[in-house]
Amino acid sequence: MPIDKLEAEIDRIINADHSDPFSVLGMHKEQQGRAEKLVVRAFLPQARKVGVVDAATGQVVADLPQIREQGFFAGPIAGRQQAFRYRFRLLPYGSEDTYDIEDPYRFGPVLGELDIHLLVEGTHLRAFEKLGAHIATIDGVEGTTFALWAPNARKASVIGDFNGWDGRRHPMRCRFECGVWEIFLPGVRAGEIYKYELKDRFGNRLAEKADPFALEAENPPKTGSVVPDPNEYEWQDSAWMRTRGHKNDRDAPVSIYEVHLGSWKRNPDEGNRYLTYRELADDLVPYVKDLGFTHVELMPVHEYPFDGSWGYQPVGLFAPTRRYGKPADLKYFIDVCHREGLGVLIDWVAGHFPTDAHGLVYFDGTHLYEHSDPRMGKHMDWDTLIFNYGRREVSNFLLSNALYWMEEFHVDGLRVDAVASMLYLDYSRKEGEWIPNMFGGRENLEAIDFIKRMNELVYGHHEGVMTVAEESTAWPMVSRPTYLGGLGFHYKWNMGWMNDTLRYMCKEPVHRRYHHNLLTFGLLYAFTENFILPISHDEVVHGKGSLLSKMPGDAWQKFANLRCYFAFMWTMSGKKLLFMGCEFGQGNEWNHNTSLDWHLLQFPLQQGVQSLVRDLNNLYRSQPALYQTDSAGEGFQWIDCHDSDNSIISYVRLARNPEDLVVIVCNFTPVVRKAYRLGVPKDGPYAELLNTDAACYAGSGVGNAGRVDAEAHEAHGRPFSLVLDLPPLGALILKPLTPIAIEPPAVVEATDVLQAETSQQQDQTEGTNGDAATDPAR
């Protein structure tokens, strides 16, 4: 290399401004006249003397002169013409003791040709195994590989304690064909903290960046990435993994307990600290199992900087949050859930990310992960940025992340957050604040393709899992297969049902007769999707109050309303989801900074609600009529949906075998209805399987002594009927004790219910939910 060019290259190395440091540093053959010579160059500002050691003999074969006072050493290797394995022997400043280090610039590329091809194509579904930091042994040397996608950066370096956070020390090689910067750093071990230092194309140094593919991260508010532990977790959930498909399907009982790990319970004896993943495995898992839930849904557990976002503004999608422990600890928690028969879903946030400087924003000096135009790239309501789904590398980043959680953590499902915000270009935007798609429409075509592809890959690679859409609009076929034109989700949250029924329950009983349609309207669309009925965290926060506080009346009436509502929810078509604290009637609104109010369980009313939820789950799981046909119209029949004067509804739920059924009647007033005649399919005795007003639930004890006989007296278009005492603000679940033959005539079908009311309820999403209230698709 000509001396003038070499001097310029050395300047760029010293100034941390070189995009190809491997062309300068390390061992190189150079032509000197007609002969070739070996030269070695190194930038080691921590050393005052540097020797080259032959790795085979351990002998110093050359001392490198310092040619720049900043710490640049270079010199020939006398008598050598062929490259050989070597290391450096350093004499540092302030010491007379030497030590040996490996030279990172003697090692070859990290990425293979196939990796590069797949990354460019956007089809590297295991990108998490190549990008990021990974312990490796190369040429017999232990260390860590680092790889970072930043195609528009002028320079990228790894920084950490191992190099004094000096961005000049370890500049990376750029694989220009795919825009990935890479390096192997010998001696860097698991647990080391690191970040990336980048310069934009104009040479401006950017904020230090966390690794987008980091598998571990520091505990917030620290923002560093952590070299992951390479030891594999030894799973013990093989029995669950073989059979989980039957437990997640549409014809299975699915009752989900939604939990925020940081506020479910705290340790007051140690400064009100979080419980760890392992402590939660010992405490939360048996609690959920005892209550009869089938699944746990974890609010986001990927790393996020702001506690108040609850995880919905992530910066480390591959790194489980360090708040509760290490990745192996989360795997242990999930493993214990599976061994105890509980499925695990996680909230997956692929719709947006925050503007924290160490995150994805303006990553390499350009709008790399987000759109550059805020009309497409920014949620003004949330001050977050929107992923550019049309960019292959970005969609591949997210797709590989979805598969990562399934594969590495054995999660059973992804609940995809804020799907409506992904589907619509005009989501929560005024006219002129959004850009139409190529056809002039408001649909985000790239996001739609991404969602479909995500679902296809998840189901194609991991048998028996589920994906769930939190989708608050009337977008069609959300939970239908992509080959039929659907988005491909397994389930969709029924936000319309939730909004309507909570609006109804907030009414004083004396006024409910005028809002009866809020209970029944949902059956007009109940079978258009595979629905989950959600009472989630969104309904008990931001000034909305707790679920209990929404109920009218005095304390007894509030709890009676809540019990009746739960029975209605558990017997309606659709899978179930309940947020933590609702199961025992917590009075305070949820606060992510404190534990649930567990002390309330000393009181009978709270004990009663908790006991009812336990019994509802057990009944739900034991009665196929309550779950087998959740997504099929033949599994539901109205008995009477018109008794608005008494605020009573009644209906039949049927299993695939129509001989197997249960009858439900709900009284939403505090008035005891004596001798209420209810039409039923057949003669014979009926068992009162559950009464929400029973004394064991802290109710008043009004009921039917556990059994009632049908009479040959026509009612509600059916040949037989029961004469019941309906409890105040109570629900009854009854089951015939003899085989049932379903008679076809005089059945009020769901689609015949409210033709006159349709004009009153044009939109199923009307209500109190924040997303639905501002959704432009309404």
Side-chain angles (χ1 to χ4, degrees):
M1 182 180 298
I3 188 64
D4 56 341
K5 182 178 180 181
L6 177 60
E7 290 297 324
E9 296 288 280
I10 294 173
D11 287 340
R12 293 172 63 194
I13 292 290
I14 292 173
N15 294 322
D17 200 32
H18 208 297
S19 60
D20 188 16
F22 283 80
S23 66
V24 179
L25 302 174
M27 181 177 285
H28 297 270
K29 286 184 178 181
E30 289 195 351
Q31 198 74 25
Q32 190 174 37
R34 296 183 177 180
E36 283 188 340
K37 66 175 180 178
L38 281 181
V39 297
V40 175
R41 306 186 192 99
F43 180 59
L44 298 166
Q46 75 273 33
R48 54 194 173 105
K49 288 187 178 181
V50 175
V52 178
V53 176
D54 187 332
T57 64
Q59 300 297 313
V60 175
V61 295
D63 290 317
L64 299 182
Q66 186 182 61
I67 62 174
R68 290 289 186 90
E69 63 180 6
Q70 293 94 335
F72 196 94
F73 297 82
I77 309 296
R80 299 287 187 105
Q81 294 183 338
Q82 299 298 322
F84 59 94
R85 293 174 55 192
Y86 68 95
R87 57 183 180 266
F88 292 132
R89 183 159 295 166
L90 274 59
L91 179 64
Y93 289 99
S95 175
E96 297 301 323
D97 297 324
T98 61
Y99 63 91
D100 289 4
I101 63 167
E102 296 285 346
D103 182 9
Y105 299 95
R106 80 170 181 86
F107 295 92
V110 171
L111 298 180
E113 292 301 317
L114 180 59
D115 294 318
I116 291 174
H117 172 79
L118 295 176
L119 288 170
V120 171
E121 194 176 55
T123 59
H124 202 314
L125 302 180
R126 305 186 68 83
F128 54 86
E129 292 183 344
K130 295 298 182 179
L131 300 181
H134 299 278
I135 296 293
T137 299
I138 299 178
D139 199 15
V141 177
E142 296 180 353
T144 300
T145 62
F146 296 89
L148 174 73
W149 180 59
N152 301 300
R154 179 156 145 180
K155 164 263 179 187
S157 296
V158 185
I159 54 175
D161 289 335
F162 44 81
N163 60 19
W165 298 89
D166 185 346
R168 304 173 302 165
R169 295 273 298 278
H170 291 131
M172 305 169 78
R173 170 197 288 118
C174 184
R175 306 296 296 272
F176 291 100
E177 57 267 53
C178 63
V180 172
W181 299 79
E182 60 172 24
I183 195 171
F184 171 67
L185 293 186
V188 175
R189 297 179 172 82
E192 296 267 17
I193 311 299
Y194 72 97
K195 284 186 177 181
Y196 295 109
E197 181 184 284
L198 293 89
K199 286 186 176 181
D200 67 16
R201 67 181 72 182
F202 305 109
N204 301 309
R205 200 168 100 177
L206 304 174
E208 295 174 355
K209 295 290 186 178
D211 191 341
F213 277 89
L215 305 185
E216 291 189 40
E218 283 190 292
N219 197 354
K222 296 180 179 179
T223 58
S225 301
V226 179
V227 177
D229 185 345
N231 296 320
E232 292 189 6
Y233 179 83
E234 295 184 8
W235 291 92
Q236 301 178 42
D237 63 348
S238 57
W240 169 270
M241 297 294 284
R242 286 195 303 269
T243 61
R244 67 178 177 178
H246 301 296
K247 299 170 183 176
N248 293 337
D249 213 347
R250 294 185 298 274
D251 61 356
V254 175
S255 181
I256 304 167
Y257 186 73
E258 186 190 22
V259 61
H260 177 259
L261 295 180
S263 57
W264 181 74
K265 189 178 286 187
R266 297 284 186 97
N267 188 327
D269 297 329
E270 299 181 20
N272 201 36
R273 68 163 175 83
Y274 299 128
L275 298 186
T276 66
Y277 293 121
R278 290 182 178 267
E279 289 172 331
L280 288 160
D282 295 336
D283 203 350
L284 173 62
V285 172
Y287 176 79
V288 175
K289 182 180 179 181
D290 174 67
L291 288 182
F293 288 95
T294 62
H295 294 71
V296 175
E297 180 177 314
L298 306 180
M299 289 171 66
V301 291
H302 37 226
E303 197 54 83
Y304 55 99
F306 177 46
D307 286 348
S309 76
W310 318 326
Y312 292 103
Q313 295 187 9
V315 294
L317 282 175
F318 289 86
T321 180
R322 197 60 173 267
R323 290 166 173 84
Y324 319 120
K326 296 185 176 182
D329 300 325
L330 176 57
K331 292 178 181 179
Y332 174 81
F333 172 84
I334 296 172
D335 201 5
V336 171
C337 285
H338 287 170
R339 283 182 271 153
E340 294 299 323
L342 293 172
V344 178
L345 290 79
I346 64 169
D347 280 9
W348 190 58
V349 185
H352 61 136
F353 59 91
T355 57
D356 295 73
H358 69 282
L360 300 179
V361 59
Y362 209 61
F363 193 82
D364 62 357
T366 66
H367 298 280
L368 187 63
Y369 286 88
E370 70 275 19
H371 290 278
S372 58
D373 192 325
R375 293 176 295 173
M376 293 184 67
K378 189 170 185 178
H379 282 304
M380 299 302 180
D381 291 347
W382 303 330
D383 192 31
T384 55
L385 301 174
I386 301 170
F387 284 106
N388 183 353
Y389 304 104
R391 188 163 195 165
R392 293 189 300 269
E393 297 91 342
V394 174
S395 63
N396 189 75
F397 167 74
L398 295 170
L399 293 171
S400 63
N401 182 255
L403 297 176
Y404 168 78
W405 286 101
M406 295 287 184
E407 178 158 334
E408 295 297 320
F409 288 86
H410 288 200
V411 301
D412 303 293
L414 302 176
R415 177 266 194 186
V416 183
D417 179 64
V419 172
S421 73
M422 302 167 68
L423 294 175
Y424 296 101
L425 294 168
D426 63 346
Y427 182 85
S428 193
R429 296 178 189 273
K430 299 175 183 177
E431 187 175 352
E433 294 179 350
W434 59 282
I435 301 175
N437 63 34
M438 60 190 297
F439 302 110
R442 63 194 184 108
E443 298 82 10
N444 189 333
L445 303 179
E446 290 83 7
I448 294 167
D449 289 343
F450 164 76
I451 290 170
K452 290 181 177 182
R453 181 62 174 154
M454 182 275 295
N455 281 313
E456 290 169 350
L457 289 173
V458 165
Y459 290 119
H461 285 75
H462 298 282
E463 184 179 0
V465 299
M466 70 168 82
T467 58
V468 181
E470 186 216 8
E471 205 286 309
S472 56
T473 75
W475 187 281
M477 302 179 70
V478 171
S479 57
R480 295 295 183 260
T482 57
Y483 61 81
L484 296 179
L487 293 181
F489 288 99
H490 202 62
Y491 295 111
K492 171 183 173 175
W493 275 18
N494 194 336
M495 312 290 279
W497 175 91
M498 176 272 297
N499 284 317
D500 288 347
T501 58
L502 286 183
R503 284 176 61 204
Y504 178 85
M505 295 305 297
C506 289
K507 307 293 183 184
E508 291 287 344
V510 69
H511 301 304
R512 285 175 175 169
R513 62 188 299 178
Y514 305 110
H515 304 277
H516 200 68
N517 58 323
L518 292 174
L519 288 180
T520 56
F521 180 77
L523 267 297
L524 291 177
Y525 58 85
F527 309 109
T528 61
E529 301 279 4
N530 305 322
F531 279 123
I532 290 175
L533 309 182
I535 300 298
S536 74
H537 64 277
D538 279 328
E539 313 322 315
V540 295
V541 75
H542 292 327
K544 297 177 185 177
S546 68
L547 192 60
L548 179 69
S549 71
K550 300 178 193 295
M551 306 297 156
D554 59 23
W556 188 92
Q557 289 180 336
K558 284 180 178 291
F559 278 91
N561 270 299
L562 187 60
R563 295 193 302 269
C564 187
Y565 182 68
F566 281 160
F568 170 61
M569 172 180 172
W570 254 259
T571 55
M572 262 289 148
S573 297
K575 307 309 181 186
K576 324 301 173 191
L577 180 140
L578 188 67
F579 183 59
M580 65 181 197
C582 297
E583 79 276 10
F584 62 80
Q586 172 157 312
N588 290 325
E589 183 177 272
W590 171 54
N591 183 347
H592 72 274
N593 282 321
T594 63
S595 168
L596 296 179
D597 296 333
W598 294 104
H599 63 279
L600 296 177
L601 282 170
Q602 64 184 304
F603 301 114
L605 288 171
Q606 281 82 2
Q607 292 173 9
V609 173
Q610 188 187 57
S611 296
L612 175 72
V613 170
R614 180 186 294 110
D615 291 348
L616 282 171
N617 272 325
N618 291 334
L619 182 65
Y620 171 64
R621 297 171 70 172
S622 67
Q623 298 297 322
L626 293 177
Y627 63 79
Q628 274 189 348
T629 53
D630 271 332
S631 302
E634 57 266 24
F636 183 94
Q637 294 177 359
W638 283 114
I639 296 175
D640 187 3
C641 61
H642 296 298
D643 193 3
S644 57
D645 286 344
N646 293 313
S647 297
I648 293 172
I649 59 170
S650 51
Y651 46 95
V652 180
R653 292 294 310 279
L654 304 96
R656 276 199 299 259
N657 175 8
E659 301 291 321
D660 188 357
L661 61 86
V662 293
V663 173
I664 301 96
V665 56
C666 302
N667 174 18
F668 289 100
T669 68
V671 179
V672 177
R673 305 294 180 181
K674 291 283 188 179
Y676 186 89
R677 188 171 292 277
L678 184 73
V680 291
K682 191 179 177 182
D683 197 5
Y686 282 70
E688 190 177 73
L689 298 181
L690 187 141
N691 178 353
T692 64
D693 193 50
C696 61
Y697 306 134
S700 62
V702 174
N704 302 276
R707 171 173 166 156
V708 62
D709 294 320
E711 301 175 359
H713 187 293
E714 184 179 354
H716 300 117
R718 298 176 184 268
F720 306 97
S721 59
L722 304 174
V723 178
L724 301 168
D725 287 345
L726 300 187
L729 297 171
L732 301 177
I733 304 175
L734 305 115
K735 184 179 179 68
L737 294 176
T738 55
I740 304 296
I742 302 298
E743 301 290 340
V747 173
V748 182
E749 297 294 345
T751 53
D752 298 330
V753 177
L754 295 172
Q755 297 301 322
E757 298 171 352
T758 304
S759 61
Q760 303 173 31
Q761 291 269 344
Q762 290 299 321
D763 198 311
Q764 70 188 50
T765 63
E766 182 177 358
T768 58
N769 178 268
D771 284 349
T774 59
D775 203 301
R778 291 182 61 248

